[in-house]
């Protein structure tokens, strides 16, 4: 019920939103990264990434094979067959990481990502960390962990802001 003494604008601001409180920007972009991850066909881990600048989405990526190749759910996983632990022997994987695919998508479409930030469902690996540093990504927001201490050292040495969002 509207307070008779309140202005219309005040009354509007007091109304609860039907889906709960509005998420902050960081949570909003991380939620989008989680949705992007659902496109992954990796048999081990579904990862999503969203590149953002000035609160605008510039590119997205998820882990998966290059264009036109059969997906892992169709062909199988060599790393699984060889029992390669997570975080090791990246060269045996046919897929690219979500961060790599986001960078590739931005380049493919001619979108500059210098000075942007990235939201990743998981901590980037060392290879992705080096690529993100070279792209001048200023901040990395990430959820789940990934067994790669070198990546954290690369980000720290480069002065990249890291935000763990659990």
């Amino acid at each position: 019920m509207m307070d008779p003494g309140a202005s219309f604008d005040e009354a509007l601001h007091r109304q609860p939103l039907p889906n709960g409180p509005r998420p902050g920007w960081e949570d909003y972009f991380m939620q989008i990264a989680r949705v992007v991850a659902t496109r992954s066909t990796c048999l081990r881990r579904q990862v999503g990434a969203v590149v953002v600048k000035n609160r605008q989405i510039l590119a997205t990526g998820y882990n998966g094979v290059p264009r036109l190749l059969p997906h892992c759910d169709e062909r199988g996983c060599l790393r699984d067959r060889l029992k390669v632990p997570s975080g090791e022997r990246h060269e045996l994987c046919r897929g690219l990481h979500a961060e790599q695919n986001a960078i590739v998508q931005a380049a493919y479409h001619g979108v500059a990502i210098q000075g942007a930030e990235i939201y990743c469902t998981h901590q980037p690996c060392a290879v992705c960390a080096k690529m993100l540093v070279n792209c001048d990504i200023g901040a990395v927001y990430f959820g789940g962990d990934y067994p790669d201490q070198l990546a954290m050292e690369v980000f720290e040495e480069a002065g990249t802001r890291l935000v763990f969002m659990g």
Side-chain angles (χ1 to χ4, degrees):
M1 178 92 167
M2 189 168 144
D3 176 357
S7 73
F8 183 71
D9 282 342
E10 290 172 329
L12 280 178
H13 291 297
R14 293 185 193 153
Q15 299 298 313
L17 296 170
N19 295 324
R22 185 177 182 196
W25 287 108
E26 291 83 10
D27 289 331
Y28 171 71
F29 292 124
M30 186 59 80
Q31 287 174 21
I32 293 171
R34 289 186 188 108
V35 171
V36 170
T38 65
R39 293 281 305 149
S40 171
T41 56
C42 178
L43 301 175
R44 289 186 162 200
R45 178 185 318 243
Q46 284 65 50
V47 181
V50 178
V51 180
V52 175
K53 189 170 185 178
N54 298 323
R55 297 183 179 165
Q56 296 296 309
I57 295 172
L58 302 179
T60 64
Y62 52 88
N63 56 327
V65 299
R67 309 166 32 108
L68 308 176
L69 298 183
H71 293 280
C72 299
D73 60 346
E74 300 165 336
R75 183 166 174 169
C77 178
L78 176 61
R79 291 165 51 86
D80 271 351
R81 285 196 301 271
L82 297 175
K83 300 183 181 350
V84 176
S86 183
E88 296 179 15
R89 303 290 313 270
H90 297 277
E91 74 279 5
L92 295 177
C93 181
R94 296 177 70 242
L96 286 91
H97 287 186
E99 303 90 335
Q100 295 167 353
N101 271 324
I103 292 167
V104 168
Q105 284 302 307
Y108 183 84
H109 293 287
V111 176
I113 60 173
Q114 180 181 11
E117 51 198 27
I118 192 167
Y119 292 80
C120 306
T121 57
H122 294 73
Q123 173 197 314
C125 72
V127 172
C128 290
K130 291 181 275 186
M131 292 175 72
L132 294 169
V133 166
N134 272 355
C135 289
D136 194 23
I137 297 295
V140 176
Y141 295 80
F142 64 99
D145 63 349
Y146 190 78
D148 198 330
Q149 183 57 37
L150 177 58
M152 302 309 273
E153 292 171 15
V154 167
F155 286 133
E156 185 178 324
E157 287 179 37
T160 304
R161 195 168 118 234
L162 296 172
V163 181
F164 177 70
M165 295 186 66

